[in-house]
Amino acid sequence: MDYFLIITILVTLSAVFGYINVRFFKLPNSIGLMFITILFTLAIFLISFIDDTLLQAEIDIINQIDFETVLLDVMLSFLLFAGALHTNFERLKVQRWPILAFSTLGVLVSTFLVGTALYYILYFLQLNVEYIYCLLFGALISPTDPIAVLGILKKAGVAKILETKIVGESLFNDGVGVVVFLTIYQIASVGGANIEPLHIFELFGEEVIGGIVLGMIIGYITYRLMKSIDDYDIEVIITLAAVMLGTAIAQKFHFSAPLAMVTAGLIVGNDTVRASTMSETTEIYVDKFWELVDILLNTILFVLIGMEMLVLTFKGQYIWAGLIAIPVILLCRYLSLLIPINFFKNRLNFVPNTNLVMTWGGLRGGISIALALSLTDEMHRELFLVITYVVVVFSILVQGLTVGKLVKKLGAEEVNSDVNPHSNV
């Protein structure tokens, strides 16, 4: 089966499932698509007892897609650039310090809390897994992916300062989480005794600092090119080229492509830069193009997540580990946010129950599954893949569908004072 046919099938399924969701279920697109895809896959599985033709066809499609490469090396850069491009830079600037703390300290603390807790959970379930591999799981499950919940937060009227924290955290902790995962992955691969602490800092610094600096350069070049012309067709193509070239360079020099694209997107999308580089027509076309890219890729991503269940090895112990991991991971996220929130809440205006909303609204998604797929058999790939899938499905279907009600119940809605992005200083 060639790639064009695979892409055609995925886009067609996305269109059909999207139509069914909008026409009948009326769920948020990402949540509805994954829910319908899981139902579709289960239906095919049941039909396979009579005729397994459809089941084998779906398995063939999934086996030919390198989910890890497709998401981490291709889709993620486009998704993060699109997200950063439409982020309110002024609100993000005001909340930069708590966002930085959430996406760095929060990810690191969550990684070690989840890894340590899971080590003892697996031991209790008579699954002997080395501690370093549990830390790997902690790193892959800690980055949040609130793409599916953003629409719900807006419908619920969540306060802008809280929405900014969730969006800002997701933009940066995806990149940081991947870097933390890769660092622990290298330690696990070569053995902790064979790697020096200085090498860890060098690897972390190269990925993070290199990615941010590259993003600044790409963003500035894009800004200068767009400022020198007034042609919306070419300017849209320039932004597309910036993402593709920036990603290729980051991969070549082992920089963090996610952090590079977030940085570039924030520069190009900055209101001040927009005013000096884009005409009103250009701004409309650039925004609409990247909104379409964002919607299309997210649609395909959540259909893929739903279909991935066919390649999992479901065992009783694995499923129990996944179910037990759900509340443990939520508790660890709550604890990882405590220090930053308590430190900044007296300096910045935090809405009531920020910790609870950020804990329940911090969804896990495709990034966690992609990282789990990159594990080797020695790292207990099948075990962690099932746990990750259980956590992700619960996160998107249960947390995603209930976070709006939680926001209203906890009084975290928008108020008039939040309209001014500087009102929370």
Side-chain angles (χ1 to χ4, degrees):
M1 191 179 296
D2 59 54
Y3 286 112
F4 179 77
L5 182 56
I6 291 175
I7 294 172
T8 300
I9 292 171
L10 289 176
V11 173
T12 302
L13 287 175
S14 300
V16 172
F17 295 164
Y19 175 83
I20 293 172
N21 179 54
V22 173
R23 184 73 173 81
F24 300 105
F25 290 94
K26 296 179 171 54
L27 297 172
N29 281 333
S30 299
I31 298 173
L33 282 164
M34 198 182 79
F35 176 67
I36 295 170
T37 305
I38 291 175
L39 291 181
F40 173 76
T41 301
L42 289 174
I44 288 179
F45 183 74
L46 292 175
I47 293 172
S48 69
F49 288 103
I50 302 172
D51 185 346
D52 66 351
T53 303
L54 286 176
L55 178 64
Q56 291 303 320
E58 189 170 344
I59 291 175
D60 287 343
I61 292 173
I62 292 299
N63 286 334
Q64 291 187 58
I65 297 173
D66 189 338
F67 189 93
E68 176 202 353
T69 300
V70 168
L71 178 57
L72 296 182
D73 293 348
V74 181
M75 293 175 69
L76 187 58
S77 292
F78 289 91
L79 290 169
L80 291 179
F81 181 85
L85 189 68
H86 298 114
T87 298
N88 188 302
F89 186 80
E90 292 305 316
R91 287 198 180 99
L92 195 66
K93 184 178 178 182
V94 171
Q95 300 290 334
R96 62 188 180 278
W97 295 117
I99 288 172
L100 178 64
F102 294 146
S103 58
T104 53
L105 178 63
V107 170
L108 289 170
V109 171
S110 175
T111 295
F112 283 95
L113 288 178
V114 172
T116 302
L118 189 72
Y119 175 76
Y120 290 104
I121 290 171
L122 295 179
Y123 181 79
F124 175 76
L125 292 173
Q126 298 181 336
L127 293 168
N128 296 320
V129 179
E130 291 183 38
Y131 181 65
I132 189 68
Y133 300 144
C134 293
L135 284 181
L136 262 180
F137 174 78
L140 70 86
I141 207 68
S142 291
T144 57
D145 183 13
I147 294 169
V149 82
L150 288 181
I152 302 173
L153 291 176
K154 291 177 181 178
K155 288 180 182 178
V158 67
K160 293 298 181 185
I161 52 176
L162 178 53
E163 184 182 323
T164 300
K165 292 181 182 70
I166 296 176
V167 175
E169 180 199 15
S170 71
L171 289 174
F172 287 99
N173 77 3
D174 284 346
V176 173
V178 171
V179 173
V180 172
F181 175 84
L182 292 175
T183 303
I184 298 176
Y185 187 96
Q186 185 164 340
I187 295 172
S189 298
V190 302
N194 298 322
I195 189 166
E196 299 179 359
L198 181 61
H199 180 68
I200 297 174
F201 285 109
E202 287 177 353
L203 176 64
F204 196 84
E206 179 184 15
E207 287 272 354
V208 174
I209 298 174
I212 293 174
V213 170
L214 174 62
M216 293 173 67
I217 294 171
I218 294 292
Y220 179 75
I221 293 173
T222 303
Y223 152 69
R224 296 299 302 180
L225 290 173
M226 295 177 70
K227 185 177 182 180
S228 63
I229 62 173
D230 183 16
D231 187 305
Y232 64 84
D233 290 331
I234 301 303
E235 290 181 71
V236 169
I237 294 173
I238 288 173
T239 61
L240 181 61
V243 175
M244 298 178 75
L245 181 61
T247 301
I249 293 173
Q251 292 171 356
K252 174 68 175 178
F253 293 98
H254 304 291
F255 299 150
S256 173
L259 289 177
M261 291 306 101
V262 167
T263 306
L266 288 173
I267 292 174
V268 177
N270 186 351
D271 288 341
T272 303
V273 173
R274 283 172 175 265
S276 62
T277 60
M278 301 185 204
S279 65
E280 185 177 344
T281 302
T282 298
E283 191 169 359
I284 292 172
Y285 273 85
V286 168
D287 283 343
K288 292 301 180 184
F289 172 79
W290 282 104
E291 283 176 14
L292 178 60
V293 170
D294 190 27
I295 292 170
L296 176 61
L297 293 183
N298 269 298
T299 299
I300 295 173
L301 172 61
F302 282 94
V303 168
L304 279 173
I305 292 175
M307 294 173 69
E308 279 292 325
M309 66 184 296
L310 281 178
V311 297
L312 301 180
T313 303
F314 288 104
K315 294 182 179 179
Q317 287 176 303
Y318 294 3
I319 296 174
W320 274 113
L323 294 174
I324 296 172
I326 291 171
V328 170
I329 291 168
L330 288 171
L331 177 61
C332 291
R333 173 161 171 79
Y334 181 88
L335 294 174
S336 71
L337 296 173
L338 274 180
I339 295 176
I341 288 177
N342 288 330
F343 182 81
F344 287 107
K345 69 179 181 181
N346 294 326
R347 295 166 175 78
L348 295 169
N349 179 27
F350 275 48
V351 301
N353 300 299
T354 290
N355 203 341
L356 286 174
V357 177
M358 290 191 68
T359 297
W360 197 251
L363 306 186
R364 273 66 181 186
I367 294 171
S368 295
I369 292 178
L371 292 176
L373 285 166
S374 71
L375 298 174
T376 63
D377 291 337
E378 183 185 10
M379 297 173 179
H380 305 275
R381 180 180 184 271
E382 295 301 326
L383 166 63
F384 288 129
L385 193 52
V386 171
I387 297 175
T388 302
Y389 196 83
V390 171
V391 171
V392 167
V393 170
F394 176 88
S395 175
I396 294 173
L397 296 185
V398 179
Q399 292 173 233
L401 287 174
T402 57
V403 69
K405 295 178 181 178
L406 181 69
V407 166
K408 293 179 181 178
K409 186 174 182 178
L410 296 178
E413 295 111 323
E414 176 70 280
V415 292
N416 292 334
S417 61
D418 291 337
V419 174
N420 183 345
H422 297 289
S423 64
N424 51 353
V425 179

